[in-house]
Amino acid sequence: MTVSPSNLDEIMTPAGAALESDTGLNALVAEPNGTVSLRGMPLLLAPKEQSVLHLLLRSWPQAVSKDDFADQIWHTQNMSDASLARCVAKLRQRIPARAGITIHAVYGWGYRLAEAPCAQASTSASESVGHPRLMLAAMAAPRHVEALVQANQWIQQRTASSLWRAQNLLRTLLTEAPTYAAAQLAYAKCLCTTVTCGFSVPRVQLQASLAQLQQLTQREDLLPFLQADMAHLLDCLWHFDEARALHAAALRTNPNDVETHGYWGWHLLATGQPAAAAQALQQAARMNPVSLDLHLLASRAFNAAGDHATSLAYCCQATELHPDNMTAQLLLLATRAYIQPAPVWAEAARALQSASTGWAFADSTLAYVFARCGDPLAAHELIAASRGQPASERINFLATLHL
C-alpha cells in the first residue's frame, strides 16, 4: 500500500480506529476479522472471550442481552447464565489494565462495557525516566547482559560475518535464558538488520521471531518496544499494511524511542514515501546523533526525495563520525557520483575496491560509481564477476545497467 504525505495524520491512527482519544473504550477496536486490538496491538484472548468482547464493543454504548450472546456466540451450543458469567469473569481478568475499561452486569438482562474510573489517569510509557531499552537489557544475569552487549555490537557492524555471529550468540543466549525479553528483541533486530543489509533470511525464521514477540504482548512493560519491533519484522516480510497499524501505535505509545522513529522511516521509504521518510529519519537521527545507520538511511531518503544537498550532508556527517567505516565511504562516493558525476569519484572508488567491507551492496555500489563517472569497463567487470552470486544479490546491479 502506498501512503501519501497528505494522509500522514490518518497513518497515526491504527487501522479501524474511528475515535480520537486513545484511552478507555476509544483505544479498543473491534476489527472486521473478529479480533480486538488495543491501540493497534491485537489482544490475545481465548476464542469465546474474544467473541464476547467483540460483541460488547460493537454494541456499545448499548448493553448486550444474554439471548444475543447465546444466539451470536454460543449458537447451537447450550449457554447457561453460569457459563456466560464465567466467560465474562475470565475476560475481566484478561483485559489489560491499560485498556481502562470494565464490564458491568445489567441485572437480570446482560452485560455492557464501561470506562474504568482511572482510565484517564494512566501514565504513558513515553513519560518514563531513563532509557527503557537499556534498562530492559540490564534485567538479567551479568553474563547474559554482557552477551547481549556483544551481540548488539556485532549487529551494528552490519557485515555478513558479524550478523551471523550475532545470530548464533543470541540463539545460545535464548537457550540459556529463554525469558530474557531484551535478547528476544535483539534477535528480531538482528534478523531484520540482516534483511535490510541485503542478505537472505528464510521467511520461516522471520515468522518464528514474530511469533515469539507476539507471545510477549501481555507484558505491559514490553508493549512500547513490541509494537515497533513487530512492525519492522512485518515490513521485512513485506506485510506493509499490517506493519503500518503497528507503526502508528508505536509512535503514539513510545514517541521518545529512537528505534520507533527509525523503523517508521524505513517503512515509509520501503513503501515509496521518501519525503515523509526523510522527516521521520531526520527525527531519529536527532535522537541518536552518532548513529551511522540512521545517518546513511536519512541520506538515502533525502536523495530519493530530491533534496540532494541534505542527502550529501548526512553522508558527510556519517563519514566524519565513522571515518574508518568503508560502507559510509562507499555511500558518500555513490551520492557524489549521483549528484555530480566526475572521474575523480571513479578514482576514489578504485582506491576502495580492494578494501573488504563485508557489505552486500559493496560491489554494486562500486559498479554504479564506475558507470556513472566514466569507467564502464570497470563496472562491467564487477557485473561479470557477480555471475556466481544468488539472483537476490545480482539484482543490486540493475541501477548500473540502466546507465
Side-chain angles (χ1 to χ4, degrees):
M1 176 178 180
T2 300
V3 183
S4 64
S6 62
N7 65 353
L8 285 180
D9 289 338
E10 175 190 342
I11 293 172
M12 300 300 291
T13 303
L19 300 173
E20 294 179 357
S21 172
D22 67 348
T23 59
L25 285 161
N26 293 342
L28 285 166
V29 176
E31 304 288 358
N33 63 0
T35 63
V36 175
S37 62
L38 173 61
R39 301 187 187 95
M41 176 69 71
L43 292 178
L44 300 181
L45 301 169
K48 277 284 195 299
E49 297 164 15
Q50 183 166 262
S51 298
V52 167
L53 182 55
H54 199 274
L55 180 56
L56 286 166
L57 274 170
R58 297 199 319 268
S59 304
W60 185 82
Q62 304 299 319
V64 179
S65 70
K66 295 178 183 179
D67 288 342
D68 285 339
F69 283 120
D71 292 341
Q72 298 188 43
I73 297 175
W74 269 258
H75 304 298
T76 58
Q77 301 173 10
N78 292 326
M79 187 202 80
S80 64
D81 288 356
S83 62
L84 176 59
R86 283 194 298 271
C87 183
V88 170
K90 291 179 181 178
L91 186 54
R92 285 177 177 138
Q93 296 174 349
R94 295 279 288 173
I95 296 175
R98 67 179 182 274
I101 68 164
T102 186
I103 302 175
H104 285 169
V106 180
Y107 183 73
W109 198 77
Y111 296 89
R112 68 182 294 272
L113 288 178
E115 289 200 24
C118 61
Q120 299 299 328
S122 61
T123 302
S124 168
S126 65
E127 297 171 354
S128 61
V129 177
H131 195 304
R133 285 186 184 265
L134 291 182
M135 289 190 289
L136 183 67
M139 298 177 66
R143 64 190 183 91
H144 293 154
V145 175
E146 293 295 341
L148 180 64
V149 170
Q150 180 61 67
N152 279 323
Q153 290 176 349
W154 281 335
I155 292 171
Q156 290 173 7
Q157 292 177 20
R158 301 173 70 86
T159 65
S161 60
S162 69
L163 290 167
W164 180 80
R165 289 196 299 271
Q167 280 191 42
N168 284 342
L169 179 56
L170 288 167
R171 286 196 198 98
T172 301
L173 177 56
L174 287 170
T175 300
E176 295 180 7
T179 62
Y180 188 13
Q184 292 177 323
L185 293 170
Y187 183 68
K189 180 179 181 178
C190 184
L191 295 180
C192 289
T193 302
T194 304
V195 171
T196 59
C197 284
F199 303 113
S200 177
V201 175
R203 288 182 65 84
V204 66
Q205 204 169 342
L206 293 167
Q207 291 165 342
S209 180
L210 181 61
Q212 281 187 327
L213 297 192
Q214 286 173 332
Q215 292 176 3
L216 300 176
T217 55
Q218 294 303 309
R219 284 187 54 178
E220 292 189 35
D221 60 320
L222 297 179
L223 180 64
F225 316 123
L226 290 172
Q227 289 172 327
D229 292 28
M230 289 172 63
H232 198 40
L233 275 168
L234 286 167
D235 279 332
C236 290
L237 285 164
W238 288 41
H239 295 171
F240 295 123
D241 287 342
E242 294 176 61
R244 190 179 79 121
L246 283 179
H247 281 299
L251 288 164
R252 286 170 178 259
T253 59
N254 205 13
N256 297 325
D257 180 51
V258 64
E259 302 279 10
T260 294
H261 289 274
Y263 292 158
W264 173 233
W266 195 94
H267 170 89
L268 289 169
L269 194 56
T271 53
Q273 300 300 306
Q279 297 306 310
L281 292 165
Q282 187 174 50
Q283 173 65 17
R286 286 173 182 158
M287 297 169 74
N288 186 355
V290 297
S291 169
L292 173 65
D293 300 338
L294 289 175
H295 276 75
L296 296 180
L297 197 56
S299 174
R300 284 180 52 198
F302 277 104
N303 200 27
D307 188 345
H308 305 314
T310 304
S311 172
L312 183 59
Y314 270 106
C315 260
C316 289
Q317 289 174 14
T319 55
E320 289 171 5
L321 289 167
H322 304 272
D324 297 326
N325 188 278
M326 290 296 102
T327 300
Q329 297 285 351
L330 283 171
L331 282 176
L332 177 58
L333 275 179
T335 304
R336 290 189 184 280
Y338 178 81
I339 296 171
Q340 191 173 9
V344 64
W345 310 133
E347 293 175 11
R350 275 189 286 274
L352 290 176
Q353 193 169 2
S354 60
S356 176
T357 67
W359 183 40
F361 304 113
D363 286 347
S364 58
T365 301
L366 285 168
Y368 174 82
V369 174
F370 288 139
R372 181 81 172 163
C373 298
D375 193 348
L377 180 59
H380 289 156
E381 288 176 352
L382 284 170
I383 294 172
S386 72
R387 285 176 182 165
Q389 297 176 3
S392 59
E393 295 183 21
R394 296 192 69 203
I395 197 171
N396 298 325
F397 289 92
L398 280 176
T400 302
L401 292 171
H402 286 162
L403 292 177

